[in-house]
Amino acid sequence: MRKKPSYSADGDSDKIAADSPQSNHDDGKKKKKTFSTAKYDLSRHSDTLDRRKVEKALAPAQLTADSWTSPMKTESSPSKRSPTVADEQTENKMLNARIRRRFGMPNPWSCTLFTLTATLASIILMLLTLHSFMTRQLDSKGCDMYYTRSLFFNFADFDTEHTRFATKYSLHLYREIGFDEDSKVKGVPVLFIPGNAGSYRQARSLASETVQHYYNTVQQDKQALNAGATSIDFFSVDFNEDFTAFHGQTLLDQAEYLNDAVAYILSLYHDPRRSQRDPRLPDPSSVILIGHSMGGVAARTMLTMPNYQSNSVNTIITMSAPHARSPVSVDANLVRTYQRINDHWRESYSQKWASDNPLWHVTLISIAGGTLDTTVPSDYASLSSLVPSTHGFTVFTSSIPGMWTGADHNQAVWCVQLVRPIARSIFEAMDVHRPSQTKPRAERMRVFKRWYLTGMEETAEKVLSHKEPSTLLTLEDQSNSVNPAGKRLVLRSMGQSEKPKVHVLPIPPQDIPGQTKFTFLSNLPLEENANGAHLDVLFCSVLPLQPGHSAAVFSLDIDLSDGRAGSTRLACKNAASDRISLPASYRTSVYPFDKAPSFSYLQYDLDDLGEHQFVAVLDKSADSSHGWAFAEFSDDSESVVHVKTGLQRLLAFGARLKLPAGRPLVTTFDIPALHSSLLAFKLRMGKQACGDEAEMFTPLLRQYLSEPHESRYFVNVKEANVSLHGIAPFMPPPLRSQAASNSLSLQFWTDPTCDSSIDVSLQIDIAGSLGKLVMRYRTVFAAFPLLVVALVLRKQFKHYDENGAFVTFMESMDFCLRTSMPLLFLALTFLAISLAVSSSTTSRTTSSGWAVWGSNTTESALDFTKNDLLLGSQDPIFWFLVPMFGLLSAGLCIIINYIALAVILLLQLPLRILTSRPASNRKETVKILLPAFSAASPKRRIVTASVLLLLVSTVIPYQFAYLVACIVQLATCVRASRNAQDNRSEANYNFYNYAHSILILMLCVLPINIPVLVVWIHNLAVHWLTPFSSHHNVLSVMPFILLVETLTSGRIVPRTTTRLTYVTNVFFFLIAIYAAVYGISYAYLLHHLVNCVAAWLMVLHFSGSDFTLSSFTRILEGRDDEGGDVKKRP
């Protein structure tokens, strides 16, 4: 009687082999091979199912199958043909199908309807968010390109004798072809610092503007030369396009090199061979720094380094620099460096006495690009948590007079509208007669405010009160040019008279209610002492001058009395120096940065006009023109409207505003509820009806914040996209109370002659608000996916320990989406609400007045890390972001899972070709699959791991070893997948599911390690072989390497039925909690937490036997004790 056939899976060509005497002989010698002894020896890769158990389980099915006959019948029917290879393959396929049905082998591609629905919802939400980010609430680009004829001189003698980074970095001097082509220094030193992956050539536009402005303008201006202006020596540093934003040590290296460069630059002025500077002038003792992006952070870092020369830097101007917090948190050294730098600046400015403050002389200006900057969130450019307003401020490019447009991250270095005010402000702030080469700090701050701010800020300083009268105006006593008190002055056309004509407005006393502010608007320029000026606005006092004034020496005498007796003489000050530029707004206007001449606007409080009695508007146009002007005194009760609607009501119903008929020239709506940078709104404005008279200008809107200084203008406004950079996630609290100044205000200029009301509506733009989440929360996807994967793995291990089956990633995902994930995200939602309420309560307590700037108690009262937790939101209204990001992260993990499955499937084809060999006989040719897991010798595995760890400790960063481990794990998954398909059994599928889930876990941590790896590869490309000092800890990667090496032998982690199973659950749960609460702000720690999990899994692998060298060798080799209970590898 023929024995029942044993089966051996061989892909699609399964074989049936009858036991032979040789096989029986082997059975007697080695019982462990009874199940796996087949036509081809696959004993090292068979599953743990015993053949007899399988046959016993399938016995009922075999008795009823038509294709199977009993052994007795087979022996008594010699007339029937022997089974061919094809028959055996067919029979074995049916047997394998029954085995799959019997043991329920899962399909890793399977997905339930619930999981599919959640995935589709996540994908749709993700696409809507990205579409909103790229298409909605976008600012128009108005920057013009700057063109130069540059020439750079490299300082080759700035070598290793001066700095240890001479072989990696270099220093250059800019010169403009056609103006100055000499390499000798002669002016004020300015150093440009490029940012992340930036080039030293990015200094060309700004340097060229300084050269051309000096030779074309300053050199001919004797007043500017006497004030201390001179040429500029523009230096630039070549960092070989280092990735500073990813690596803290690189930032420190650059700061050290910059201090060496500053010392070298200053030494050039002491060398007569290198300097053409006027010997009567003092040698420079400081350098002006201009930093772009991370170059601005490097500039601040310089002042904290040991090699910093005191007072060698006193002016820093940065563009698109993330000062408040690190743009990414994947490097521990970068996060700690940021904390150390910011703490140094805060502690310095918290000193009570100036002598104790090493930064007392330093001014810091931060220029942000706004919504067009999609590289670094412009919220991070804020200085409110670092520098007091006396030493610096943050301004957005859309606020800078004459620019009125945003700038993306790279436009900031070549935008014509930006480089011009920067260059001019540097010339005005310099003083070559002083060793510091700049004016005192207070004067520098006034210069920078005048060039970068609108002039309408509460902190804006008016020049009028500091000037002496320069114009003598003589008027006839009976002149009808005096405007009645309280009446608005309206001039519709200029130049109607052949001689100058004056219009006088009496300034009301300060104690009269209803008139507290003076405003003036005209489409003509206001210029002081300019030939051909058409309009002057003068603030006058009756002669004789008031006590305290110096002797009157007037540069301009205007006599409009025609020599008649009874005239009045007025000593007047020209207000042109306080002129505020506004973008022109006409029916044809489209953008505020259009080339149309700007409007002239003046704004004074009555307190600023206390020493004057009259305002004189002098029309000096000789010819009739289309010029117009308005002037009036108004009260804040009429011109400022406080909208007290709460945020919830604004979001639900919007706001209905109204500009009444008979309104002032300027009307401001203050909306305290709108302060979040995560919200976007749509503003719609009704038509301005002017009746029979033509309107002089169309409505002009200014949307502004006072801190930071952000203004956005909308001309000819009908609709406007309203968004702001107010309170943003993860931002540290300000140093001083700003509760009343960080809310949104809407300022309207409307034609006051149009005596009709205008309706204004403000509605939430939900689709546009989605796009605001991208820049503020893009780092969420470095943390929240790990939360999801940790929960999935926790469920897989729990099921495996309880039932012995390691379910697929998608099965566990489906279960978690139904149970644990909603509960955890609900708990995190309540935690987010609690943190937001706590943060807002603390802010209100701080702003109540007891924490005052300048006292040491401020530092102890403020917790600058309080917004680092969870989603960093300071408003409970955004509680829904936690489940929203949870859904997005779950969908992202599912997508990553299917991508990994697809890659594994694609890699199986070349693996089958490489691991198969032909076996021919006379009738047909078949292919024999070689073993999927060929365990290497223990010695080889130990040597491989040791060599890799040795390289980590000396040359390569551990991130590179982690990448290698990910690749090896991918190869293990490919082989495990092939083995599970060929030898279909529960154990093989268990191991494949286990290896696949570990791969997904490692892939979620990979983005945290890639940035540092990119920095290391870049250093190799520039031949900088100095190893990182912060990324050579072998313990940071050893558990990963050991775990991956263990899995290459095809060994699954043993089941734990003791209390150790709770340890595994707690490990994964803690990772999920940490990834949610701290993962965004401290992402680098996620790698170390997962590393601890890998170490724990290695402990579980050792748990099947004693911790001896022999057991360690058996695990690396993939062998089991013959009598042990440890599961066999597939």
Side-chain angles (χ1 to χ4, degrees):
M1 183 174 68
R2 185 165 69 89
K3 293 181 180 293
K4 291 183 180 180
S6 63
Y7 73 92
S8 174
D10 188 17
D12 295 332
S13 303
D14 298 329
K15 303 286 186 287
I16 303 295
D19 290 341
S20 62
Q22 180 66 33
S23 299
N24 295 333
H25 176 70
D26 293 339
D27 293 345
K29 296 179 65 175
K30 200 170 187 178
K31 293 183 179 180
K32 290 187 71 175
K33 289 190 176 183
T34 55
F35 175 62
S36 58
T37 303
K39 184 174 181 180
Y40 309 112
D41 185 13
L42 301 178
S43 61
R44 293 175 59 84
H45 311 286
S46 61
D47 53 53
T48 58
L49 294 177
D50 187 88
R51 177 178 60 83
R52 296 184 180 87
K53 294 180 180 179
V54 176
E55 292 173 349
K56 182 178 179 180
L58 296 178
Q62 292 174 353
L63 293 175
T64 58
D66 295 338
S67 58
W68 289 86
T69 59
S70 64
M72 187 66 70
K73 185 176 180 179
T74 302
E75 287 189 354
S76 63
S77 304
S79 60
K80 289 193 176 183
R81 63 180 175 86
S82 299
T84 64
V85 174
D87 294 334
E88 294 174 353
Q89 292 175 352
T90 303
E91 293 166 355
N92 225 16
K93 288 180 179 179
M94 297 178 64
L95 178 61
N96 290 334
R98 292 188 180 91
I99 292 175
R100 289 195 298 271
R101 290 194 297 269
R102 183 73 175 179
F103 293 98
M105 299 306 173
N107 181 7
W109 292 85
S110 63
C111 181
T112 63
L113 180 61
F114 179 80
T115 304
L116 179 61
T117 303
T119 305
L120 291 177
S122 173
I123 294 175
I124 292 173
L125 183 58
M126 194 179 305
L127 292 177
L128 288 176
T129 304
L130 293 176
H131 181 267
S132 172
F133 174 69
M134 293 184 293
T135 61
R136 300 183 67 92
Q137 290 281 337
L138 298 180
D139 288 345
S140 301
K141 296 183 178 181
C143 279
D144 297 330
M145 178 73 75
Y146 203 102
Y147 297 94
T148 68
R149 301 177 62 190
S150 57
L151 178 65
F152 283 95
F153 291 96
N154 181 23
F155 291 95
D157 56 342
F158 184 44
D159 51 17
T160 53
E161 293 184 2
H162 298 85
T163 177
R164 63 190 182 100
F165 299 101
T167 59
K168 185 180 182 182
Y169 304 142
S170 58
L171 180 65
H172 301 266
L173 174 64
Y174 178 90
R175 293 305 187 203
E176 182 84 1
I177 298 176
F179 289 91
D180 187 0
E181 303 179 17
D182 189 0
S183 62
K184 293 185 178 181
V185 296
K186 56 181 72 69
V188 173
V190 175
L191 178 61
F192 176 82
I193 308 172
N196 183 63
S199 170
Y200 71 98
R201 293 184 174 273
Q202 290 179 317
R204 289 175 297 182
S205 298
L206 185 55
S208 176
E209 176 62 24
T210 60
V211 172
Q212 296 188 40
H213 182 66
Y214 172 74
Y215 285 101
N216 294 334
T217 305
V218 176
Q219 199 174 35
Q220 287 76 37
D221 188 349
K222 293 184 179 180
Q223 184 178 358
L225 295 176
N226 293 333
T230 187
S231 62
I232 291 178
D233 296 321
F234 217 103
F235 297 87
S236 184
V237 178
D238 183 9
F239 284 140
N240 269 317
E241 301 181 0
D242 257 347
F243 293 96
T244 327
F246 301 154
H247 197 231
Q249 187 58 49
T250 301
L251 178 62
L252 295 175
D253 291 347
Q254 290 186 1
E256 180 182 342
Y257 177 82
L258 288 169
N259 280 324
D260 294 336
V262 167
Y264 175 79
I265 290 171
L266 295 177
S267 68
L268 294 177
Y269 293 88
H270 299 280
D271 187 355
R273 299 170 301 174
R274 310 295 298 272
S275 175
Q276 290 182 347
R277 188 178 173 89
D278 189 344
R280 295 172 298 178
L281 298 175
D283 291 328
S285 63
S286 67
V287 177
I288 298 174
L289 301 182
I290 299 178
H292 174 245
S293 185
M294 289 299 293
V297 181
R300 286 201 305 121
T301 309
M302 292 171 58
L303 280 65
T304 67
M305 300 296 291
N307 66 333
Y308 169 67
Q309 295 182 8
S310 180
N311 298 327
S312 61
V313 173
N314 64 11
T315 302
I316 304 175
I317 301 175
T318 66
M319 300 174 287
S320 304
H323 292 292
R325 59 180 285 117
S326 170
V328 292
S329 59
V330 297
D331 179 48
N333 198 16
L334 180 63
V335 175
R336 287 193 290 265
T337 299
Y338 253 89
Q339 183 177 0
R340 182 175 62 84
I341 297 168
N342 291 346
D343 287 346
H344 174 80
W345 281 68
R346 290 167 183 149
E347 292 172 2
S348 297
Y349 286 120
S350 67
Q351 300 301 318
K352 184 176 182 180
W353 304 105
S355 57
D356 298 329
N357 182 5
L359 305 178
W360 181 256
H361 62 287
V362 178
T363 55
L364 175 61
I365 309 300
S366 177
I367 302 175
T371 57
L372 289 179
D373 190 348
T374 57
T375 302
V376 173
S378 290
D379 307 283
Y380 292 0
S382 175
L383 300 176
S384 60
S385 64
L386 299 171
V387 179
S389 58
T390 54
H391 290 72
F393 57 85
T394 305
V395 63
F396 284 73
T397 57
S398 57
S399 302
I400 297 178
M403 186 169 182
W404 300 319
T405 180
D408 67 30
H409 199 68
N410 290 324
Q411 281 180 341
V413 297
W414 53 257
C415 181
V416 173
Q417 294 94 321
L418 180 58
V419 299
R420 284 178 177 170
I422 293 178
R424 285 156 173 75
S425 66
I426 292 175
F427 278 107
E428 193 169 335
M430 71 170 58
D431 186 355
V432 74
H433 303 107
R434 300 167 59 92
S436 64
Q437 304 296 288
T438 58
K439 292 180 171 64
R441 177 190 53 80
E443 294 186 30
R444 293 200 307 271
M445 286 298 299
R446 281 194 289 268
V447 170
F448 293 140
K449 287 180 179 180
R450 185 162 60 252
W451 279 101
Y452 301 143
L453 300 185
T454 63
M456 292 176 280
E457 293 80 8
E458 294 181 359
T459 58
E461 297 183 17
K462 301 298 183 180
V463 181
L464 184 69
S465 59
H466 303 287
K467 296 177 63 175
E468 294 293 336
S470 59
T471 303
L472 179 60
L473 180 62
T474 305
L475 300 177
E476 185 181 354
D477 289 343
Q478 304 299 324
S479 173
N480 57 1
S481 60
V482 178
N483 211 53
K487 185 178 180 181
R488 176 187 298 127
L489 173 66
V490 178
L491 302 178
R492 282 195 169 272
S493 58
M494 300 292 187
Q496 298 297 322
S497 176
E498 295 181 356
K499 61 179 182 179
K501 186 176 182 180
V502 66
H503 305 271
V504 179
L505 284 80
I507 297 178
Q510 297 183 18
D511 56 352
I512 294 181
Q515 297 181 351
T516 59
K517 183 172 61 177
F518 171 78
T519 54
F520 171 87
L521 183 67
S522 175
N523 65 339
L524 297 179
L526 296 179
E527 300 177 1
E528 189 171 5
N529 300 327
N531 295 327
H534 297 278
L535 185 66
D536 283 339
V537 178
L538 308 174
F539 289 86
C540 307
S541 302
V542 179
L543 283 177
L545 297 178
Q546 295 180 359
H549 282 180
S550 61
V553 178
F554 301 105
S555 59
L556 183 62
D557 186 358
I558 302 177
D559 188 356
L560 302 179
S561 64
D562 295 332
R564 300 176 184 175
S567 60
T568 302
R569 295 190 306 166
L570 302 176
C572 303
K573 301 178 183 179
N574 197 315
S577 55
D578 288 330
R579 174 183 181 267
I580 298 172
S581 295
L582 295 178
S585 181
Y586 301 107
R587 287 295 177 190
T588 57
S589 300
V590 179
Y591 302 111
F593 49 83
D594 289 339
K595 304 304 179 182
S598 61
F599 289 171
S600 298
Y601 178 66
L602 295 174
Q603 175 179 297
Y604 293 98
D605 292 333
L606 284 187
D607 295 338
D608 300 326
L609 307 178
E611 62 182 59
H612 307 287
Q613 291 90 39
F614 300 98
V615 179
V617 179
L618 185 61
D619 178 10
K620 299 191 296 183
S621 300
D623 301 321
S624 178
S625 66
H626 296 287
W628 47 262
F630 300 96
E632 67 178 10
F633 289 92
S634 60
D635 186 48
D636 285 343
S637 61
E638 299 177 354
S639 59
V640 179
V641 179
H642 298 281
V643 181
K644 299 181 180 180
T645 307
L647 180 59
Q648 291 82 357
R649 185 173 181 82
L650 280 174
L651 296 179
F653 306 104
R656 301 289 179 180
L657 311 176
K658 189 171 185 178
L659 297 173
R663 58 190 172 273
L665 172 66
V666 184
T667 305
T668 302
F669 292 95
D670 185 22
I671 313 177
L674 297 186
H675 51 70
S676 175
S677 61
L678 298 179
L679 297 177
F681 292 84
K682 277 284 188 183
L683 182 142
R684 293 177 174 84
M685 189 172 184
K687 186 178 180 180
Q688 177 178 263
C690 291
D692 298 335
E693 295 184 346
E695 62 184 0
M696 300 188 199
F697 67 97
T698 55
L700 171 65
L701 168 63
R702 174 190 173 224
Q703 163 214 316
Y704 71 93
L705 292 175
S706 297
E707 183 62 41
H709 299 292
E710 180 186 21
S711 294
R712 298 174 63 203
Y713 294 92
F714 302 91
V715 298
N716 190 22
V717 58
K718 300 180 180 66
E719 289 188 357
N721 294 323
V722 178
S723 62
L724 60 149
H725 292 83
I727 297 179
F730 307 110
M731 289 293 293
L735 286 172
R736 55 194 179 276
S737 172
Q738 296 174 10
S741 60
N742 59 3
S743 59
L744 178 69
S745 296
L746 302 176
Q747 194 170 20
F748 294 89
W749 285 266
T750 55
D751 191 339
T753 61
C754 299
D755 195 13
S756 62
S757 62
I758 303 177
D759 293 326
V760 180
S761 65
L762 189 67
Q763 299 288 337
I764 180 70
D765 184 2
I766 298 178
S769 299
L770 276 178
K772 302 300 176 183
L773 300 176
V774 175
M775 288 301 298
R776 279 81 178 185
Y777 284 115
R778 55 185 177 179
T779 54
V780 164
F781 297 103
F784 266 54
L786 187 59
L787 177 153
V788 175
V789 173
L791 293 179
V792 171
L793 275 165
R794 174 178 172 271
K795 179 59 184 175
Q796 286 178 300
F797 274 92
K798 183 178 180 182
H799 189 275
Y800 174 63
D801 291 336
E802 293 176 353
N803 304 310
F806 206 96
V807 298
T808 65
F809 186 86
M810 288 305 300
E811 286 180 308
S812 181
M813 174 68 77
D814 178 72
F815 185 84
C816 291
L817 285 174
R818 298 173 185 270
T819 55
S820 56
M821 282 189 196
L823 292 177
L824 180 58
F825 287 131
L826 179 62
L828 291 175
T829 300
F830 284 110
L831 177 61
I833 295 174
S834 175
L835 292 174
V837 171
S838 175
S839 177
S840 59
T841 302
T842 305
S843 299
R844 286 193 296 268
T845 304
T846 303
S847 63
S848 62
W850 61 269
V852 183
W853 165 256
S855 65
N856 294 332
T857 58
T858 303
E859 290 296 321
S860 60
L862 291 177
D863 179 13
F864 293 101
T865 63
K866 68 176 184 178
N867 297 325
D868 290 348
L869 304 182
L870 204 55
L871 296 181
S873 175
Q874 304 176 42
D875 199 326
I877 197 73
F878 299 108
W879 61 266
F880 62 89
L881 291 179
V882 174
M884 173 182 170
F885 288 130
L887 177 62
L888 289 174
S889 299
L892 181 62
C893 290
I894 294 173
I895 294 173
I896 293 175
N897 172 65
Y898 281 119
I899 292 176
L901 288 173
V903 172
I904 291 171
L905 185 62
L906 291 175
L907 293 178
Q908 284 187 40
L909 179 60
L911 179 65
R912 289 184 179 276
I913 297 175
L914 294 175
T915 60
S916 63
R917 57 182 176 85
S920 302
N921 54 31
R922 295 181 180 179
K923 295 183 178 181
E924 59 183 312
T925 300
V926 297
K927 285 189 175 181
I928 304 173
L929 290 179
L930 297 178
F933 292 96
S934 301
S937 64
K939 180 179 180 180
R940 178 181 174 184
R941 293 184 181 279
I942 294 175
V943 169
T944 302
S946 300
V947 169
L948 190 56
L949 292 175
L950 178 62
L951 291 176
V952 169
S953 64
T954 55
V955 179
I956 66 176
Y958 70 77
Q959 288 83 358
F960 180 81
Y962 183 82
L963 177 62
V964 173
C966 291
I967 296 175
V968 174
Q969 183 64 17
L970 176 61
T972 300
C973 290
V974 173
R975 292 188 295 164
S977 177
R978 195 209 73 175
N979 190 48
Q981 293 178 12
D982 294 342
N983 303 317
R984 303 176 188 270
S985 66
E986 184 180 18
N988 289 330
Y989 276 99
N990 282 347
F991 175 75
Y992 168 67
N993 294 335
Y994 169 59
H996 180 80
S997 296
I998 295 298
L999 175 64
I1000 298 299
L1001 178 65
M1002 296 178 69
L1003 290 179
C1004 287
V1005 182
L1006 186 60
I1008 300 174
N1009 294 279
I1010 287 297
V1012 176
L1013 187 59
V1014 170
V1015 175
W1016 179 70
I1017 295 175
H1018 174 267
N1019 283 351
L1020 292 181
V1022 298
H1023 307 290
W1024 181 254
L1025 304 180
T1026 302
F1028 293 160
S1029 60
S1030 56
H1031 299 287
H1032 294 282
N1033 186 357
V1034 295
L1035 295 179
S1036 298
V1037 77
M1038 180 186 292
F1040 284 114
I1041 294 177
L1042 295 179
L1043 179 61
V1044 168
E1045 282 291 329
T1046 302
L1047 294 182
T1048 56
S1049 64
R1051 178 185 178 85
I1052 193 173
V1053 63
R1055 292 174 58 189
T1056 56
T1057 56
T1058 62
R1059 292 184 178 181
L1060 293 179
T1061 186
Y1062 297 108
V1063 178
T1064 306
N1065 287 337
V1066 169
F1067 256 122
F1068 284 113
F1069 185 75
L1070 289 179
I1071 289 179
I1073 295 298
Y1074 184 90
V1077 179
Y1078 295 97
I1080 301 176
S1081 297
Y1082 306 96
Y1084 64 91
L1085 284 177
L1086 296 177
H1087 170 93
H1088 301 293
L1089 290 178
V1090 178
N1091 188 49
C1092 293
V1093 170
W1096 173 247
L1097 294 180
M1098 284 304 303
V1099 172
L1100 294 181
H1101 275 282
F1102 278 106
S1103 64
S1105 58
D1106 296 334
F1107 289 94
T1108 63
L1109 181 60
S1110 59
S1111 65
F1112 178 72
T1113 302
R1114 283 194 298 274
I1115 289 179
L1116 288 180
E1117 190 179 7
R1119 294 186 287 106
D1120 293 322
D1121 291 324
E1122 294 186 6
D1125 295 332
V1126 183
K1127 280 187 174 291
K1128 300 176 183 178
R1129 57 171 173 75

